[in-house]
Amino acid sequence: MIFFGIVLVLASGSLIGAGKVLANRYDNSVKRDTLIAEGARADVPQRNNTTRIVGPLNYLLLGSDLRPGDDTTQRTDTMIVAHVPATLDRVYLISIPRDLRVHIPEFPDTEFAGSYEKINGAYEHGGYGAGGVQLLSATIADLIGIRFDGAAIVDFQGFQDVVKELGGVEMCVEQRVVSAHLARLPNGELVNPREGGEPIVYEPGCREFNHWQALDYVRQRYSLPDGDYGRMRHQQQFLQALLRKARAEGLTSNPLQLDRLIRAVAGTLTVDTGGTSLETLMFGLRDIRPADIIGLDVPSEPVMVGGIAYIYPLEPATSMFEALVNDTLDDWVAANPTWVNTL
């Protein structure tokens, strides 16, 4: 999410010359790996020159719950397909439910034979890290029928570092949310609610969130009436809020401030841009603004199968996937407003 957000922030700037310098610094500082499976990668389109990209584009954006000093367990409960149409003037964020029941293909590198289960199991079956993203990319590519131009994964630390550098982000809470992850002891220390204290509560209204509040808020689902659907909506809202704050702080006109943000996020990202330089992405996506972000849910519903809670796709999901492949999401959105999120 943050990788794509930074690309959009950079793209919206007018200081293309300064952007080139910063893009080179960014390109040289982030960790790169092969995140897209061979059969899930899009063909690189022909480009007329180094500052032109050809849409439509599809990126796989993942959030990992990896914490500093703890690499024993990782999950990717945040899975977003970012679709940029051929016009390159907006972006659709399609959140994939973590409990969506799908077929996960075999993955010889970990001797995984394939199975039908929750989609977030793909990351584990792929061995976490790059292998996990590869298997997840293959799973989503098979599910939807698309191919990816790139991917990025960021962990908890990277999320918080960016919000710190921006001095917080403003988000609007729709309904009272009680944190299942953080509580405050009488001495002010933040702990897991199992250790006592008063759970952190987010009351309705718009306010500035600091780094730990923003992360905690977008992780919540248990106290939301619509559960994981609400969490996915909040994740999409966060990305838009991130871009709004970045523009408000002058990142599109202040190279020094932009440079600090780039250095803050670079160490916590792993990216695969398919060989496309950040400079090319910057110039090609320069017309996208925060208001041009459209958040979508996969049409689906919760179902209990054998005592296990799954998410099953509904009929409109088929037409959504077809629209994504055919780059006709504008028409699909107009015909299916129920699955469009208010950001």
Side-chain angles (χ1 to χ4, degrees):
M1 290 173 65
I2 294 173
F3 166 73
F4 197 71
I6 296 304
V7 169
L8 295 182
V9 170
L10 287 169
S12 66
S14 58
L15 298 180
I16 299 299
K20 289 182 179 181
V21 175
L22 296 174
N24 289 333
R25 183 198 294 267
Y26 188 82
D27 273 334
N28 294 330
S29 58
V30 299
K31 179 182 178 182
R32 296 183 177 276
D33 211 330
T34 302
L35 302 180
I36 304 297
E38 183 176 348
R41 188 180 296 278
D43 295 331
V44 178
Q46 294 295 319
R47 297 186 175 90
N48 294 338
N49 53 61
T50 58
T51 57
R52 181 170 182 259
I53 58 175
V54 178
L57 302 168
N58 295 301
Y59 292 91
L60 177 60
L61 312 177
L62 306 174
S64 163
D65 65 357
L66 177 66
R67 298 166 176 82
D70 178 15
D71 58 358
T72 56
T73 334
Q74 297 179 48
R75 294 175 300 178
T76 53
D77 286 353
T78 301
M79 295 167 279
I80 295 178
V81 175
H83 174 78
V84 180
T87 50
L88 304 179
D89 59 355
R90 59 196 175 281
V91 56
Y92 292 95
L93 300 179
I94 303 172
S95 293
I96 307 297
R98 64 188 291 279
D99 294 336
L100 188 68
R101 190 174 188 272
V102 299
H103 176 252
I104 302 176
E106 64 177 6
F107 194 69
D109 288 357
T110 59
E111 300 182 353
F112 175 64
S115 68
Y116 284 90
E117 58 181 277
K118 296 180 180 182
I119 193 169
N120 71 338
Y123 189 61
E124 177 182 356
H125 293 310
Y128 307 111
V133 182
Q134 289 173 28
L135 182 53
L136 190 52
S137 72
T139 303
I140 297 176
D142 289 349
L143 172 71
I144 298 177
I146 61 170
R147 296 296 178 263
F148 291 105
D149 296 275
I153 184 166
V154 65
D155 60 29
F156 280 179
Q157 189 61 51
F159 183 110
Q160 294 188 83
D161 286 347
V162 169
V163 178
K164 279 183 182 179
E165 286 296 322
L166 288 175
V169 293
E170 182 176 329
M171 296 184 66
C172 295
V173 179
E174 307 142 342
Q175 57 213 354
R176 191 173 191 265
V177 176
V178 180
S179 176
H181 304 293
L182 288 179
R184 192 183 297 278
L185 296 176
N187 63 5
E189 181 183 358
L190 293 173
V191 296
N192 188 293
R194 290 192 296 268
E195 300 177 39
E198 290 293 325
I200 298 297
V201 176
Y202 303 96
E203 298 289 355
C206 300
R207 64 180 60 83
E208 194 88 357
F209 282 66
N210 65 24
H211 60 286
W212 65 262
Q213 291 170 330
L215 176 62
D216 186 50
Y217 179 67
V218 302
R219 292 181 64 204
Q220 303 306 317
R221 64 188 176 105
Y222 294 116
S223 61
L224 302 179
D226 50 355
D228 202 37
Y229 293 98
R231 178 169 65 170
M232 291 186 290
R233 182 175 64 256
H234 293 164
Q235 292 167 352
Q236 294 172 352
Q237 290 170 345
F238 166 78
L239 179 52
Q240 190 182 62
L242 179 75
L243 301 190
R244 280 198 306 267
K245 183 60 179 290
R247 289 178 63 83
E249 291 295 310
L251 267 73
T252 58
S253 59
N254 186 333
L256 293 177
Q257 189 164 350
L258 179 57
D259 183 47
R260 287 197 298 270
L261 183 61
I262 289 174
R263 286 187 282 110
V265 69
T268 57
L269 284 170
T270 302
V271 302
D272 179 344
T273 60
T276 302
S277 70
L278 183 62
E279 178 185 339
T280 300
L281 286 173
M282 284 168 54
F283 191 80
L285 303 177
R286 65 191 182 278
D287 293 330
I288 296 177
R289 300 293 188 272
D292 300 322
I293 298 175
I294 301 99
L296 303 176
D297 286 331
V298 174
S300 54
E301 64 180 358
V303 176
M304 294 295 295
V305 179
I308 300 176
Y310 290 102
I311 297 292
Y312 270 57
L314 297 172
E315 189 280 330
T318 300
S319 59
M320 169 191 264
F321 297 159
E322 291 173 352
L324 184 55
V325 172
N326 298 325
D327 195 24
T328 57
L329 273 176
D330 283 353
D331 296 334
W332 188 90
V333 165
N336 297 271
T338 302
W339 302 100
V340 181
N341 288 323
T342 301
L343 302 185

